[in-house]
Amino acid sequence: MSDKKEKAQKKSWFKGLKAEFKKVVWPDKNTLAKQTTAVVSVSVLLGALIAIIDAAMKYGIDLLVK
């Protein structure tokens, strides 16, 4: 490809990107805080659940191996 064509495509891509960002409806601070709290809470709970299941399986496998 020629240099001019590549530059034109890059500019076109950035223009499109800018236009798409203008269409985005960003959440307000209250909604963002609630959603962030929900995501962190669910992540911690799932992490704890996975750790408990992992420990139980390790214990069970150790019983079978010994």
Side-chain angles (χ1 to χ4, degrees):
M1 272 191 183
S2 68
D3 243 6
K4 289 182 181 180
K5 199 172 189 180
E6 285 181 21
K7 287 181 182 179
Q9 284 181 341
K10 286 181 183 179
K11 285 183 182 180
S12 174
W13 187 83
F14 281 113
K15 283 183 181 179
L17 182 66
K18 188 176 179 180
E20 288 300 318
F21 266 102
K22 287 182 181 180
K23 294 178 189 177
V24 174
V25 178
W26 299 101
D28 59 6
K29 285 186 179 184
N30 192 25
T31 303
L32 184 64
K34 285 181 182 180
Q35 290 178 351
T36 301
T37 302
V39 168
V40 170
S41 300
V42 169
S43 297
V44 168
L45 288 173
L46 285 176
L49 180 63
I50 290 170
I52 291 168
I53 292 170
D54 182 52
M57 289 180 72
K58 183 178 183 284
Y59 179 75
I61 291 172
D62 286 343
L63 281 177
L64 292 173
V65 172
K66 287 182 181 181

